[in-house]
Amino acid sequence: MNLLDTKLVSVTPPAAISDNATLTTGEIDTLGWRFLDIIVYLGATDIAMAALSVTQSDTAGSGHANITGLVWGTSTNIDGSTSALPSATDDNLFQRARIDLKGKKRYIDVTATTGDGAAGSYVAILGILSRPEVSPTSASEAGCNEILVA
């Protein structure tokens, strides 16, 4: 996959620590794209996540429902085992959802709720759209402020 043919989408930017709260997220409009990776990057954590799933809807901003196979704690992972919610010992680790957008609804979002710990968790979530119908030709079309090439 050519990384120049991708678009980066901030779902949840790096922010203040979250404790016992559902993160505010930005949904991803997948129009014109065929594939999506969602990367959940955990910083310091002191308790397991309470919920983590990928959702979809035909309508922007409402009607989201879990995508079968993309619910941590119940869905099967790539190794064939039942997945687990990120735990208190998963500091600085990535969680990843790989999504073939064929047959999915247009708007994708993430439900992420941090557990109720002594301090909480740092979480950043990034979407990477790929396999475009038309390749991005500018930094803004690729979801970036600037792109440098050497």
Side-chain angles (χ1 to χ4, degrees):
M1 176 180 72
N2 184 345
L3 287 177
L4 296 176
D5 287 336
T6 61
K7 180 177 181 180
L8 306 180
V9 182
S10 175
V11 177
T12 297
I17 197 163
S18 173
D19 188 45
N20 195 30
T22 298
L23 300 174
T24 300
T25 60
E27 69 186 358
I28 301 167
D29 184 350
T30 65
L31 183 66
W33 299 89
R34 295 184 195 107
F35 204 84
L36 171 63
D37 277 283
I38 294 177
I39 310 297
V40 179
Y41 186 29
L42 300 170
T45 61
D46 71 346
I47 193 163
M49 297 280 295
L52 184 59
S53 64
V54 180
T55 64
Q56 64 181 344
S57 177
D58 286 322
T59 306
S62 67
H64 280 265
N66 287 340
I67 297 175
T68 301
L70 299 178
V71 179
W72 276 257
T74 61
S75 297
T76 302
N77 63 27
I78 196 170
D79 298 322
S81 304
T82 300
S83 62
L85 283 164
S87 73
T89 60
D90 287 339
D91 295 5
N92 304 312
L93 295 179
F94 295 102
Q95 305 292 317
R96 183 177 183 176
R98 306 202 70 221
I99 308 163
D100 181 346
L101 295 171
K102 184 177 181 180
K104 302 296 186 292
K105 296 180 179 182
R106 177 174 172 179
Y107 298 96
I108 305 292
D109 205 349
V110 177
T111 298
T113 305
T114 55
D116 188 6
S121 304
Y122 288 103
V123 182
I125 304 173
L126 172 69
I128 305 172
L129 289 161
S130 60
R131 299 185 188 154
E133 292 174 8
V134 177
S135 295
T137 58
S138 68
S140 63
E141 287 178 2
C144 299
N145 180 46
E146 291 187 284
I147 297 176
L148 304 180
V149 180

